Amino acid sequence: MQLDDVIISKAIVENWSKDLIEYLEVDVAIVGGGPAGLTAAYYLAKKGVKVVLYERKLSIGGGMWGGGMMYNKCVFQNDSKPILDEFKIRYKEYQPGYFVTDSIETVSTLCLETIRAGARIFNLISVEDVMIRKEEVTGLVLNWSAVDIAHLHVDPLTIQAKYVIDATGHAAEIAKIITRKISKKLLTETGDLLGEKPMWAEVGERTIVENTKEIYPGVYVAGMACNAVFGGPRMGPIFGGMLLSGKKIAEVLLAKQKGSSN
Ligand code: 48F
């Protein structure tokens, strides 16, 4: 058989476009493919929820590849061990309660299992805005990351989602879009982002899970963005809180889905 270059192109364009169209209306849309967004997508997809994840960069995995200061190891605490086991990510116990993984194995496994669970991941796409109806976020506005990087004047496309998860890390981009373009009515003490505090692993890892919740009608937060919104400390290269936060937000939304179908 002779290979036809045009058939190769058609295979890519047709199949990608089909996926994009299929995911224009979803149950849950996740912004950001770091550890929190991936974990949330995995646990939702595993339960049959129609979930899509958008990642701005070429690579999925956010801040996890580089471990701590480019030493590509990640540290996890006891509470998060069941999630490592669920994904079959290998670890070594360094000292009691401190588990060390290879960051590349960790990211690639999270990514593979999330896709295999049924989540659709689109990379190279940035979420630049939200769609709003009657003071509730009902979808996302997408554009190619390349359009933004090249400062091109190109209008975006829109998708509809029952729920949106802001898993954009330190930047808390969706929360910022809401305060800038809708109003300072986030579900925080002031209605505004309270801002991330300096490094403190013990407190940061605890508050990140507490702060994993709804931030605006239709919008939920997971991962580092939680502490940026609710004013908790950063925690550096310990990643258990990210996985626990992703799992928690999936559980919150699964409970809501169940409630609405009754
Ligand atoms: O930053 P990131 O890894 O967030 P996370 O899942 O985990 C945080 C840790 O990596 C680390 C830490 C641990 O102690 O503090 O920082 O909370 O992943 C966030 C991803 O979101 C993408 C961004 O490229 C990154 O890969 N992202 C951010 N804004 C957008 C976006 C956007 N507007 N559209 C699409 N993707």
Side-chain angles (χ1 to χ4, degrees):
M1 187 194 90
Q2 278 193 342
L3 285 175
D4 182 324
D5 297 270
V6 174
I7 294 178
I8 295 170
S9 299
K10 277 186 182 169
I12 291 170
V13 175
E14 269 186 35
N15 283 287
W16 189 89
S17 303
K18 200 168 146 268
D19 280 7
L20 185 72
I21 291 167
E22 189 185 336
Y23 284 89
L24 287 178
E25 287 161 304
V26 294
D27 295 321
V28 181
I30 301 176
V31 190
L38 286 172
T39 309
Y42 169 83
Y43 281 104
L44 286 162
K46 203 180 152 198
K47 292 283 178 189
V49 174
K50 188 173 179 186
V51 53
V52 67
L53 184 153
Y54 300 102
E55 168 54 50
R56 165 177 291 154
K57 293 186 185 154
L58 182 56
S59 63
I60 308 301
M64 218 180 199
W65 294 102
M69 217 177 98
M70 296 199 216
Y71 289 59
N72 62 0
K73 296 282 179 191
C74 297
V75 175
F76 292 87
Q77 65 276 49
N78 255 333
D79 295 359
S80 52
K81 205 155 71 75
I83 306 181
L84 295 177
D85 290 333
E86 163 90 16
F87 280 94
K88 298 192 177 59
I89 294 167
R90 294 171 303 169
Y91 49 79
K92 278 190 192 139
E93 190 164 21
Y94 173 65
Q95 284 194 23
Y98 293 81
F99 300 90
V100 181
T101 69
D102 177 288
S103 72
I104 297 172
E105 177 181 345
T106 312
V107 174
S108 46
T109 308
L110 284 176
C111 192
L112 175 70
E113 293 304 326
T114 299
I115 293 169
R116 287 196 172 156
R120 180 59 167 96
I121 299 177
F122 289 93
N123 59 343
L124 298 166
I125 290 181
S126 292
V127 174
E128 62 169 50
D129 202 354
V130 294
M131 177 161 73
I132 180 155
R133 299 285 180 275
K134 295 184 189 154
E135 297 212 0
E136 179 169 358
V137 169
T138 55
L140 295 173
V141 179
L142 316 175
N143 216 328
W144 294 114
S145 303
V147 163
D148 184 37
I149 293 162
H151 304 294
L152 301 177
H153 187 169
V154 178
D155 272 315
L157 295 174
T158 308
I159 66 131
Q160 187 179 307
K162 288 185 196 146
Y163 306 108
V164 164
I165 300 176
D166 183 344
T168 60
H170 295 269
E173 292 204 11
I174 305 307
K176 278 188 191 144
I177 290 169
I178 292 168
T179 56
R180 194 177 75 243
K181 300 189 78 168
I182 305 176
S183 68
K184 296 202 166 146
K185 280 194 189 164
L186 293 182
L187 298 168
T188 62
E189 276 165 32
T190 63
D192 205 351
L193 277 93
L194 302 182
E196 176 191 303
K197 301 289 180 286
M199 187 104 114
W200 190 356
E202 166 64 22
V203 177
E205 285 290 283
R206 178 167 39 81
T207 55
I208 208 153
V209 180
E210 289 164 13
N211 292 335
T212 297
K213 51 191 173 186
E214 189 177 21
I215 56 168
Y216 188 82
V219 184
Y220 295 74
V221 72
M224 196 57 225
C226 300
N227 278 3
V229 170
F230 289 101
R234 65 184 303 194
M235 67 293 294
I238 180 155
F239 287 90
M242 301 303 144
L243 305 192
L244 289 163
S245 172
K247 183 166 189 263
K248 178 177 170 186
I249 210 63
E251 286 163 357
V252 167
L253 293 182
L254 287 168
K256 279 192 90 74
Q257 291 251 119
K258 214 170 155 202
S260 64
S261 63
N262 286 339

